[in-house]
Amino acid sequence: MTTATRPDLTVGQKHNGSRTRISADEWNAPSEQRRQGPLSDPTRMARALGWFSIGLGLAEIAAPRRMARMIGVDDDNTHRNFLLAYGLREIAAGVAILAADRPTGAVWARVGGDVMDLAFLGQSLSSNPSGRSRAAAATAAVLGVTALDVLTGRRLAQGIDWRGERGTAPRPSGAVHVQESITVGRPPEEVYRFWRDFEHLPEFMEHLESVRVLDERRSHWRARAPAGSSVEWDAEIVDDRPNELVSWRSVSDADVPNMGTVRFVRAPGDRGTEIHVELRYDPPGGKAGALVAKLFGEEPGQQVKGDLRRLKQVLETGEVVHSDASVHRGMHPAQPSASGTERSHR
Amino acid sequence: MKANCWMGKKRLEVQDVPDPKILNARDAIVRITSTAICGSDLHLYNGFIPTMEKGDILGHEFMGEVVETGPAVKNLKVGDRVVVPFPIACGACSMCQRDLFSLCENSNPNAWIAEKLMGHSPAGLFGYSHMLGGYAGGQAEYARVPFADVGPLKISNGLSDDQVLFLSDILPTGYMGAEMCNIQPGDVIAVWGCGPVGQFAIASAKMLGAERIIGIDRFPYRLRMAAEKAGATETINYEQESVLERLLELTAGRGPDACIDAVGMEAHGHAAVYAYDRAKQALMLETDRPIALREAITACRSGGTVSVIGVYGGFIDKFPMGALMNKSLTIRTGQTHVQRYMRPLLERIERGEIDPSFVITHHMSLSEAPRGFDMFLHKRDNCEKVVLTA
Ligand SMILES: NC(=O)c1ccc[n+]([C@@H]2O[C@H](COP(=O)([O-])OP(=O)(O)OC[C@H]3O[C@@H](n4cnc5c(N)ncnc54)[C@H](O)[C@@H]3O)[C@@H](O)[C@H]2O)c1
Ligand SMILES: [Zn+2]
Ligand SMILES: [Zn+2]
């Protein structure tokens, strides 16, 4: 991937091979676009709006009378007080925009402020005929700024990395670390027993094809990969505390070195069991690396969360729950499929 | 089979699609005899609910005959006549155990999408977007009903489809709307929206002992139905008089003890406010137009309750939080926990306390669904509720 030219937009640290949280927009944008001026850069534009806010706010507070005449509203006490309030609001919005790491919310606040301005100016438009043309000019100016605000707010909102999943921390070393949890309405003894029989895991782990238990400590894992291929490895249990915890790791020659721990904690007040999963794997380079990236997708956290959700379905309702659209791969209308279950979780 | 498919904003087609199959052991397949068009379907029709896909089968208010059951379904047999509740619920998770069926934790296979938008996901619903499960809906000849051992209500008493069909959604919804008001002797209840949901909220407030019930809408035929059939003691046409002033007058300054919003995210309103919300919605600055909700909060008496059964999808603007907070109001809301209300309401129907068929103004065949939607949306031909039959 090309390197980002705007460090202020990247949340995660960018290192070779590690995961970062750059918006899809940014990945897809041609590199020239990423180097353009302030108007094409939502963050810089937001900052400019921030300074505009502060400037306007200071003017409204310092010289409400002149400001009122300038924009053509009545110079009476009510209007002056309004302008003072607006001034404070503008400054607050400006400060929020400039201070925020990612100023989306603050920009929306500005949009709200603009609408207040418009309403206020609209009122003076109808009540003071002599000031009308000046008020109209001011309205037009605010409308222009509103348009900028809207544009910036929307760009920033689009840039939010909705896919930046909770629980996945980027690791400078390239190792991926995933932490997810769920609460299941069954006692820890039952949940532990179910999980400890590793051959159950493919029932709810989407990409796992099979787990064969070799002996007390060792098992053989096989995961589906794209284009009919698969990844296999041997794993050994490194810690096993009944009803509490299971820890495992791949043995030395695995294509994809990985380790994991699942903890079972009795949830308070009869709520069943909290399942806490922690996984770590080292995506290798080359072909195997690409396979693994596909396997766990852009968001390993999301994948693990989905697996835990399916485990909850199995333990609470007896099986993985399907909807008409979920039995197909990819986006598909919510209609019954002609061939029954196209996607099997087994 | 034939099914009513969403093909894009304001575009529906009745198409030939594959018949449903049993996918889970607790499924049943139902041959649909009656299915209705709901105000909630209009939000899909108008394109306000995200994650719809071209070809999605609509419909969540349906009943019919069981034609097949999965191996784990023991309470139903082929030939049983059932009404199907619109939220899909497992009966076993922590929400179902608390009777909060529309919040089932196991029935939405696409829960992660809803979680991104709302923090947690509600239950999967029939025919209501991929974010809420991607389940085929019931405006079709057949439907697959998951958790058939939990949801469907057996009807074995000779009541007609028209009398029991609305147990699937809008009768429980109106009832829950009134129940959430915690009605006390002497209470005055105001109901925004006299669509089918509002009518049942009014009728339920009456069953629950409200002193007076005020129906608010702009269509005279709907206000007439509220007064003549549902049991409203007064009605307000918001296009002809100020709702806030009239409510103060009717309650001698107290304001209604509880206010029910049976309008939801596509409210209509006076020119300026309506234009403001329309514009913001169009620019995606807000997703919902909360005109009725704002008014309900302002109108409600101090310490009163605002019960929101109109559907909202995302974000709203200019929410009168100050009024809500300073007047110590209680807000109660939710997709209806239909499974909780079906049996008691069936008993009320059997006892003759309510005959829900009074809201039906049009019967059509399934293949006329697109015409039914258009008519219901534009409130043409005094349309209140459309029932499609096989
Ligand atoms: N909570 C639930 O589980 C649930 C279930 C079913 C329906 N709903 C929702 O209930 C709402 C109503 O459904 P319906 O089938 O009755 O739809 P509908 O479209 O027939 O009724 C809405 C009514 O509200 C009126 N209205 C619009 N703006 C208004 C305003 N500002 N003040 C007063 N009235 C106004 C309209 O004129 C119309 O008569 C919808 O939002 C629907 O999605 C919720
Ligand atoms: Zn409905
Ligand atoms: Zn459930």
Side-chain angles (χ1 to χ4, degrees), chain B residues 38 40 60-61 169:
Chain B
C38 177
S40 302
H60 57 266
E61 303 183 354
D169 176 351

Side-chain angles (χ1 to χ4, degrees), chain A residues 108 115 154 162-163 302 309 312-313 316-317 319-325 327 331-338, chain B residues 5 18 21 24-26 53-57 92-93 105-106 111-112 115-116 130 133-136 144 276 285:
Chain A
W108 286 138
V115 172
R154 292 187 65 182
W162 288 103
R163 301 183 301 158
Q302 191 73 64
R309 202 190 311 282
K312 179 177 164 77
Q313 291 170 349
E316 292 184 350
T317 82
E319 57 186 330
V320 172
V321 178
H322 297 293
S323 75
D324 304 85
V327 300
M331 282 311 254
H332 190 283
Q335 290 185 351
S337 85
Chain B
C5 301
K21 295 185 175 65
N24 282 113
R26 294 165 66 184
E53 289 281 307
K54 200 170 168 183
D56 286 350
I57 300 178
C93 69
E105 297 167 333
N106 286 318
W112 66 275
E115 281 173 358
K116 295 228 152 151
H130 289 254
Y135 288 95
R144 163 186 168 246
Y276 170 80
L285 294 178

Side-chain angles (χ1 to χ4, degrees), chain B residues 189-245:
Chain B
I189 311 294
V191 180
W192 274 256
C194 294
V197 170
Q199 302 288 346
F200 288 145
I202 293 169
S204 302
K206 186 177 171 199
M207 287 194 286
L208 292 171
E211 178 77 25
R212 274 156 63 205
I213 306 153
I214 303 160
I216 305 162
D217 207 299
R218 77 174 186 285
F219 294 102
Y221 75 93
R222 292 190 162 207
L223 292 170
R224 218 164 32 241
M225 180 181 276
E228 288 168 9
K229 305 276 184 57
T233 50
E234 281 96 7
T235 60
I236 301 176
N237 185 330
Y238 68 81
E239 281 195 326
Q240 286 166 10
E241 42 193 349
S242 155
V243 173
L244 294 177
E245 279 172 24

Side-chain angles (χ1 to χ4, degrees), chain B residues 316-376:
Chain B
I316 58 176
D317 194 36
K318 300 284 182 284
F319 183 77
M321 192 60 210
L324 184 73
M325 190 275 164
N326 289 287
K327 294 202 291 178
S328 298
L329 300 184
T330 301
I331 283 217
R332 300 193 62 191
T333 183
Q335 296 278 358
T336 306
H337 309 295
V338 178
Q339 285 83 338
R340 194 205 281 175
Y341 299 101
M342 286 179 106
R343 198 165 296 281
L345 286 173
L346 174 64
E347 284 162 14
R348 283 187 189 263
I349 296 171
E350 286 169 342
R351 289 199 298 266
E353 290 169 35
I354 183 170
D355 180 354
S357 64
F358 77 85
V359 296
I360 303 175
T361 50
H362 294 76
H363 282 100
M364 294 182 195
S365 71
L366 175 62
S367 50
E368 288 178 294
R371 186 169 77 89
F373 266 77
D374 186 65
M375 180 185 262
F376 181 50

